[in-house]
Amino acid sequence: MTNSATIRHRAWTLARLARPSLFPAVIAAAVVFTGGYFFKEQNRQNFQSELKSNVESELNLIATRLQSEINNNITALRGFANNISVAPDMPQPVFDQLATKLLLQNPQMVRVSAAPDAVIRMTFPLIGNERMIGTDFKKFRSSRVAVDRAQSKAKPIIAGPVRLPSGRTGFNLFSPVFTKSNETVAFWGFMEAIIDEKEIYRNARLFHDGNHEDEASRGHRHTDIQLAIRDVSVKNNIQDAFFGDTYIFEKEPVIRQLDLPGGTWELAAIPASGWTQEPGNSSWLDIAVLIAAAIAIVPILLTGGLVNERQRNIAKLRSRERELLTVSHRLNLALESSNIGIWEIDLDTQQRSWDKRMYHLHGMRPGDGGPSFADWRQTVHPDDITAASLTLFKALDEDLEYRSQYRVIMPDGGVRHVRNVGSTHTGADGKAKITGISWDVTDDVLMTEQLRSAKALAEAKNGELAEAKDRIEHNALHDPLTGLGNRRMLDKALETLSGARKDGLRNIAILHIDLDRFKQINDTLGHAAGDAMLVHASEILRSNVRAGDMVARIGGDEFVVLVTDPPGKSSLTYLSERIIAEMRQPVDYNGFPCRFGVSIGIAVAGDLAIDERQLLVNADIALYRAKENGRNRCEFFTEALQAEIITTKRIADEILEGIEENQFVTWYQPQFEAGTLRLSGVEALIRWNHPRDGVLTPDKFLGIAEELNVVATLDRIVLDRALIDAMRWAAAGIDVPKISVNVSAKRLSDDTLLNSLRGLSFKPGQLSFELVESIFLDESDDIVTANIEGIKKLGIDIEIDDFGTGHTSIVSLLKIKPKRLKIDRQLVAPILTARKEQALIRSIIEIGRSLGIETVAEGVETMAHAEMLGLLGCDLLQGYAFSKPLTFDRFVAFATNEALQLAS
């Protein structure tokens, strides 16, 4: 640490010394470095020029060698071709003898062939090349282009490289052969030779092994280069490099074109280390520039620094004199403005020395010298004399820092608080003294007392706020009517239990309780009666739960009981039944007996941990099942119940998706006249083309559709589809007198129904709306009545469906005046053997005739049923005896064939 500080100090000293000479030194350095820069740039340019020249020289030497090697091979093959031109019918032994000599003299050649009319007749060596006999060079495009060029130019052609049967690569040499007979020159064929690619590269020294040197390379300074060669014979179809890497052509290479028989090769070369390499003497040049700069700068810095240091020391002495005068003046000014007194006590003589501000602080008139100890005692408050004196004597005796505060009685009777601070030291005369200052702190003391009083008042207020906070928190967690915990308190309790048991709720039970018939009490006797019933219910719940359990009111008439570590399922059942029994007892309110019941859903978190929100959801699901099963009962949540709820939810989602995807379609069940069995109409029935489960009937989804409130939408889908299909039947020549469509009670009570029906295209009497008998028509509201009348005015008939199983009265029939009654299948099925049902159906038919209402029998299973119903006087028949519900296409086939057979 010391060495580091020393180094920093010396560096700072040198920097300060050199500062005056920085500007001249910078100028000198700029001159030296600028000259060095331009020298280095010139050196780099010379190096680059020499490097490019060396690469060009190396490339030219390689091109010369390569061309020489290729020309030698071409010359040798052309000599063989001349032998063939003289003796075109040369026998195989002579050919083999000449070929052997050719290959020995030209080791780069690996095969030679004679091809009259471009078809190989002889080849050497034959072993390994047997499949070449009979090869037609004009059969393949690569060789056909080469031989055509050789023939047209009457010169040898080099092509390739090509893949050899041995797996190696080589170049094809084609030399055209012309024969002369009777002074006539005729084209005979080709001599073809294969030159080994690596051998020709090796002989041309494209592979640097350092073992070859010829006359052309003697005295040549070798430069390592990267080389690439490609064929540019066809300007519009330049191939990738067949030697080296193609990317070399993109690196600003030195280019040399090599004109060969039959084409042009382009050679490209760059230095092995690239064009960006630096000259070898760059480092020495940098060192030389730095040495020159040091020689120029160091003397300038040292000379200027020494001269400036002397001037700086002189200026510093003058500046310190001025600062001393300034500080002294400022100190006096500060003491005057702050009313701080300065005092001093000689430790040997106990003599005091005060300035005039000390006299002022103690309410005394200034005098010569200093006051005595007795004079000082007279100004101090009697209660503070002892403490102030002991503190002073202790500081004098033990040579300690002196600190004290006391009160001073002023001449006018006022009190001033004075604070003192002092310390011992040796004066300029060599005597031991204690010197200090004193100042008025009366305002600080008064402010401290005020703050202390304010703190006491704030603490009292904080106590009141804490009590108010407790009341607010209690109100926030409790129901003001019943005093039970509210939903927030329940959530906190569940979170606490979940956190205490780390991985979730275990061995916890929740009873979700809902009051039955509570709304009726509220509506009939008023909210005060409802509040009284809620208080009564809360008292019953409190009295039935254990001390550690919790009861909360989470809604208007909903309660939750949180049971920790329940003994078992039987105990929860017993607790629920006891609560149900006590809740069912009548409660007197102002002379009126009030009765209500409860439904309870129970969810238990057993050995497996469960999230608190899911536990509440499970209890709510169980409560829903309890209400669904008749109320005044309890139900436990089970996996089967959850699966059922999930299935219902899935089906509900799929119903909504099916409506959007047009999965709901219309099927038709034919209706026939009882006497003639002629087709009289159809009933339009909805089916669901489920993408997974196939075609589903209404019993599989209609109940869930009612809960979703989309039955009216499904009715409209069936109606729209049926009207479209009616027009298609008419276009096909099929007569369907009427179409019956079911209308739900929900849609019948829709005040926009009539507006949606106006504008539909149908003939009067062609369309019928079937109303189920379960609609209580005797007490129907005004909207239903108005809709029925409006439907009939639009030309739509009304039919009462499932007649005989509900409670439609004769008065209702007179009021509605339906067009038809549909006798339910439950009455039709047993008529073959049951006389009571026969009589009942006969009565319904007679009632209908007396009121001018037609009758339709549903569920006609056999022709015997059809015959019996015809004898009883029924007008129309519908059932499996004639046809099951059909799709549009199948109904068309039925109406054009089977329906006609029934009528005949």
Side-chain angles (χ1 to χ4, degrees):
M1 192 70 181
T2 304
N3 293 336
S4 177
T6 302
I7 292 172
R8 286 198 300 271
H9 176 70
R10 290 178 178 175
W12 168 250
T13 302
L14 291 174
R16 186 180 60 185
L17 182 66
R19 189 182 304 156
S21 306
L22 286 179
F23 184 70
V26 168
I27 294 175
V31 171
V32 173
F33 285 121
T34 302
Y37 171 77
F38 283 111
F39 185 78
K40 283 183 64 179
E41 285 299 312
Q42 184 63 42
N43 181 64
R44 185 179 291 108
Q45 292 177 7
N46 294 340
F47 174 76
Q48 291 291 335
S49 298
E50 182 180 359
L51 181 62
K52 186 172 183 180
S53 175
N54 291 339
V55 172
E56 289 177 349
S57 176
E58 189 73 23
L59 183 61
N60 290 334
L61 183 59
I62 289 173
T64 301
R65 291 171 182 161
L66 190 61
Q67 189 162 30
S68 175
E69 291 297 326
I70 293 173
N71 288 339
N72 289 340
N73 284 279
I74 290 174
T75 301
L77 183 63
R78 182 179 290 170
F80 201 155
N82 291 336
N83 291 331
I84 293 293
S85 65
V86 174
D89 297 325
M90 180 182 296
Q92 182 71 43
V94 177
F95 175 83
D96 291 346
Q97 182 180 2
L98 293 176
T100 302
K101 182 179 179 181
L102 177 66
L103 296 185
L104 288 175
Q105 292 174 351
N106 299 274
Q108 299 172 11
M109 291 187 183
V110 296
R111 191 186 76 210
V112 62
S113 302
D117 296 325
V119 178
I120 295 178
R121 187 185 69 190
M122 293 181 291
T123 186
F124 182 85
L126 182 61
I127 298 174
N129 296 304
E130 294 85 351
R131 65 183 183 85
M132 297 301 297
I133 301 299
T135 300
D136 187 351
F137 288 132
K138 293 191 176 183
K139 182 178 180 181
F140 304 101
R141 184 181 181 279
S142 58
S143 58
R144 182 175 65 250
V145 172
V147 296
D148 286 348
R149 290 170 61 195
Q151 181 178 352
S152 62
K153 292 180 179 294
K155 292 180 180 180
I157 294 294
I158 185 169
V162 295
R163 178 70 64 176
L164 303 179
S166 61
R168 300 165 66 184
T169 55
F171 294 96
N172 277 108
L173 282 181
F174 294 100
S175 180
V177 179
F178 296 89
T179 60
K180 188 173 183 181
S181 177
N182 297 326
E183 302 301 325
T184 301
V185 178
F187 174 71
W188 176 85
F190 299 93
M191 284 300 297
E192 179 241 9
I194 298 295
I195 302 175
D196 186 273
E197 182 183 17
K198 288 187 177 180
E199 285 299 322
I200 198 170
Y201 293 159
R202 184 174 293 107
N203 289 341
R205 312 265 219 292
L206 270 62
F207 302 132
H208 295 293
D209 53 10
N211 296 326
H212 297 86
E213 183 178 356
D214 55 16
E215 293 181 0
S217 62
R218 291 194 189 101
H220 171 69
R221 183 178 178 182
H222 178 68
T223 301
D224 290 335
I225 63 171
Q226 297 182 55
L227 178 66
I229 307 174
R230 64 183 179 184
D231 190 347
V232 296
S233 302
V234 182
K235 298 301 183 181
N236 297 329
N237 186 22
I238 297 177
Q239 304 295 321
D240 291 339
F242 58 80
F243 179 85
D245 295 320
T246 303
Y247 78 91
I248 294 176
F249 288 92
E250 302 172 0
K251 299 296 183 179
E252 300 180 359
V254 175
I255 299 295
R256 168 72 186 273
Q257 287 194 346
L258 189 61
D259 293 325
L260 300 172
T264 302
W265 288 359
E266 188 174 64
L267 284 68
I270 62 173
S273 300
W275 295 111
T276 58
Q277 56 185 298
E278 292 293 326
N281 61 350
S282 293
S283 300
W284 291 105
L285 288 177
D286 292 338
I287 294 172
V289 171
L290 290 175
I291 292 173
I295 293 173
I297 295 170
V298 171
I300 296 174
L301 291 175
L302 292 177
T303 303
L306 292 174
V307 172
N308 191 66
E309 184 65 20
R310 181 175 178 276
Q311 295 176 352
R312 188 185 297 110
N313 290 334
I314 295 173
K316 187 181 295 185
L317 290 174
R318 294 174 181 173
S319 175
R320 286 181 178 178
E321 291 178 0
R322 290 193 297 270
E323 287 179 359
L324 181 60
L325 293 174
T326 301
V327 170
S328 177
H329 175 71
R330 290 176 179 174
L331 177 61
N332 290 330
L333 182 61
L335 293 175
E336 288 288 346
S337 61
S338 61
N339 200 25
I340 295 176
I342 300 177
W343 51 267
E344 187 176 73
I345 302 176
D346 190 315
L347 296 183
D348 294 333
T349 63
Q350 301 296 314
Q351 184 179 358
R352 285 174 167 77
S353 175
W354 284 10
D355 65 359
K356 63 180 181 179
R357 288 181 292 276
M358 282 295 294
Y359 284 100
H360 175 73
L361 287 174
H362 289 78
M364 300 170 63
R365 297 181 62 183
D368 296 333
S372 64
F373 178 73
D375 295 336
W376 171 73
R377 283 176 57 90
Q378 290 180 356
T379 63
V380 180
H381 194 283
D383 295 341
D384 297 342
I385 290 176
T386 302
S389 299
L390 291 176
T391 303
L392 177 61
F393 293 149
K394 185 175 182 181
L396 295 175
D397 294 340
E398 300 181 8
D399 194 19
L400 300 175
E401 184 182 28
Y402 171 61
R403 288 182 177 273
S404 70
Q405 182 174 317
Y406 51 77
R407 290 170 288 178
V408 174
I409 305 298
M410 304 302 292
D412 59 359
V415 177
R416 176 177 290 166
H417 294 262
V418 177
R419 184 172 296 165
N420 312 278
V421 176
S423 61
T424 59
H425 68 98
T426 301
D429 54 3
K431 295 182 178 180
K433 299 180 180 181
I434 180 170
T435 303
I437 59 175
S438 300
W439 67 95
D440 186 359
V441 293
T442 304
D443 293 340
D444 295 343
V445 172
L446 295 177
M447 184 177 295
T448 301
E449 292 177 354
Q450 292 174 359
L451 290 175
R452 189 177 292 112
S453 300
K455 179 183 177 184
L457 180 62
E459 289 176 350
K461 292 290 185 182
N462 287 339
E464 295 178 2
L465 290 174
E467 294 178 0
K469 176 176 174 292
D470 292 339
R471 289 195 301 271
I472 292 172
E473 288 183 351
H474 180 274
N475 293 337
L477 297 175
H478 290 79
D479 175 41
L481 176 64
T482 63
L484 299 174
N486 57 15
R487 180 59 180 264
R488 184 180 176 191
M489 186 175 183
L490 174 65
D491 291 341
K492 283 182 171 290
L494 289 172
E495 289 176 4
T496 302
L497 288 172
S498 178
R501 305 189 184 205
K502 295 182 180 179
D503 55 352
L505 295 175
R506 291 176 183 269
N507 296 325
I508 300 294
I510 284 184
L511 278 65
H512 193 172
I513 302 169
D514 185 79
L515 303 185
D516 299 327
R517 297 191 71 253
F518 174 76
K519 185 175 183 301
Q520 288 83 344
I521 295 174
N522 241 352
D523 293 343
T524 55
L525 299 180
H527 290 288
D531 291 346
M533 296 305 103
L534 292 173
V535 172
H536 173 70
S538 67
E539 292 172 351
I540 291 176
L541 294 175
R542 278 197 188 96
S543 64
N544 280 280
V545 300
R546 299 176 303 179
D549 297 337
M550 174 186 174
V551 182
R553 180 188 174 203
I554 63 170
D557 59 347
E558 293 184 64
F559 297 85
V560 166
V561 176
L562 176 61
V563 182
T564 57
D565 299 321
K569 184 176 180 180
S570 59
S571 65
L572 295 174
T573 303
Y574 177 72
L575 171 62
S576 300
E577 291 176 348
R578 190 168 67 242
I579 293 173
I580 292 171
E582 293 186 18
M583 290 287 190
R584 294 180 66 179
Q585 299 301 317
V587 182
D588 181 75
Y589 177 77
N590 294 336
F592 293 96
C594 298
R595 293 180 180 272
F596 61 89
V598 291
S599 299
I600 303 177
I602 308 170
V604 180
D607 295 334
L608 297 178
I610 188 173
D611 179 73
E612 57 266 20
R613 289 182 291 273
Q614 186 58 48
L615 189 62
L616 287 170
V617 171
N618 293 348
D620 188 59
I621 292 173
L623 174 63
Y624 178 80
R625 176 49 56 90
K627 287 180 171 291
E628 191 179 58
N629 289 343
R631 302 177 184 267
N632 278 318
R633 60 186 294 123
C634 65
E635 289 286 346
F636 279 87
F637 173 82
T638 63
E639 297 296 333
L641 177 59
Q642 184 181 31
E644 182 180 337
I645 296 298
I646 292 174
T647 300
T648 301
K649 173 66 168 57
R650 176 179 57 78
I651 295 175
D653 293 339
E654 291 176 348
I655 288 174
L656 296 177
E657 182 180 356
I659 292 175
E660 294 177 356
E661 300 293 334
N662 297 320
Q663 295 174 3
F664 290 93
V665 296
T666 305
W667 286 31
Y668 303 96
Q669 187 168 27
Q671 296 175 342
F672 299 87
E673 294 179 359
T676 63
L677 295 183
R678 287 187 300 182
L679 181 67
S680 62
V682 293
E683 180 182 0
L685 304 170
I686 191 167
R687 293 292 185 270
W688 184 5
N689 277 338
H690 196 281
R692 183 185 62 255
D693 299 333
V695 178
L696 300 180
T697 54
D699 58 298
K700 301 295 192 304
F701 60 84
L702 205 56
I704 299 175
E706 289 178 352
E707 295 179 3
L708 287 174
N709 198 26
V710 296
V711 175
T713 302
L714 298 179
D715 288 349
R716 182 59 192 248
I717 291 173
V718 173
L719 175 60
D720 293 343
R721 187 71 253 175
L723 292 176
I724 293 173
D725 289 345
M727 290 188 288
R728 295 170 67 190
W729 291 328
I734 300 174
D735 182 24
V736 181
K738 75 174 185 69
I739 301 174
S740 299
V741 180
N742 290 296
V743 177
S744 64
K746 184 71 175 179
R747 194 176 187 206
L748 196 62
S749 60
D750 185 1
D751 55 2
T752 65
L753 174 62
L754 294 179
N755 289 333
S756 67
L757 296 176
R758 292 188 177 95
L760 295 180
S761 177
F762 60 90
K763 295 183 295 184
Q766 184 184 13
L767 189 61
S768 295
F769 279 179
E770 293 189 7
L771 311 180
V772 294
E773 191 192 9
S774 58
I775 299 175
F776 191 65
L777 298 175
D778 288 339
E779 298 180 3
S780 58
D781 57 21
D782 295 338
I783 295 178
V784 173
T785 303
N787 280 341
I788 292 175
E789 291 302 320
I791 288 169
K792 291 194 290 186
K793 289 180 180 179
L794 291 174
I796 301 173
D797 294 338
I798 299 296
E799 297 182 5
I800 304 299
D801 196 10
D802 298 337
F803 188 79
T805 60
H807 45 253
T808 304
S809 65
I810 301 300
V811 174
S812 298
L813 295 179
L814 293 173
K815 181 178 179 181
I816 298 175
K817 298 178 182 178
K819 181 70 174 180
R820 299 175 192 85
L821 299 178
K822 297 191 73 173
I823 304 172
D824 189 80
R825 66 182 67 248
Q826 297 179 45
L827 301 177
V828 172
I831 61 171
L832 295 178
T833 57
R835 293 186 177 275
K836 290 183 179 180
E837 279 73 8
Q838 291 179 10
L840 180 58
I841 290 177
R842 184 181 293 109
S843 299
I844 293 173
I845 293 172
E846 291 298 329
I847 291 172
R849 284 184 175 175
S850 64
L851 297 176
I853 301 173
E854 298 178 356
T855 54
V856 183
E858 290 184 302
V860 181
E861 300 294 334
T862 64
M863 294 306 294
H865 283 85
E867 184 178 355
M868 175 66 73
L869 289 167
L871 294 174
L872 292 175
C874 188
D875 297 302
L876 302 175
L877 305 176
Q878 175 181 341
Y880 284 7
F882 306 105
S883 174
K884 295 181 179 180
L886 304 170
T887 63
F888 173 83
D889 294 332
R890 293 182 62 187
F891 176 77
V892 170
F894 176 84
T896 55
N897 295 307
E898 298 177 41
L900 296 177
Q901 295 175 6
L902 286 172
S904 62

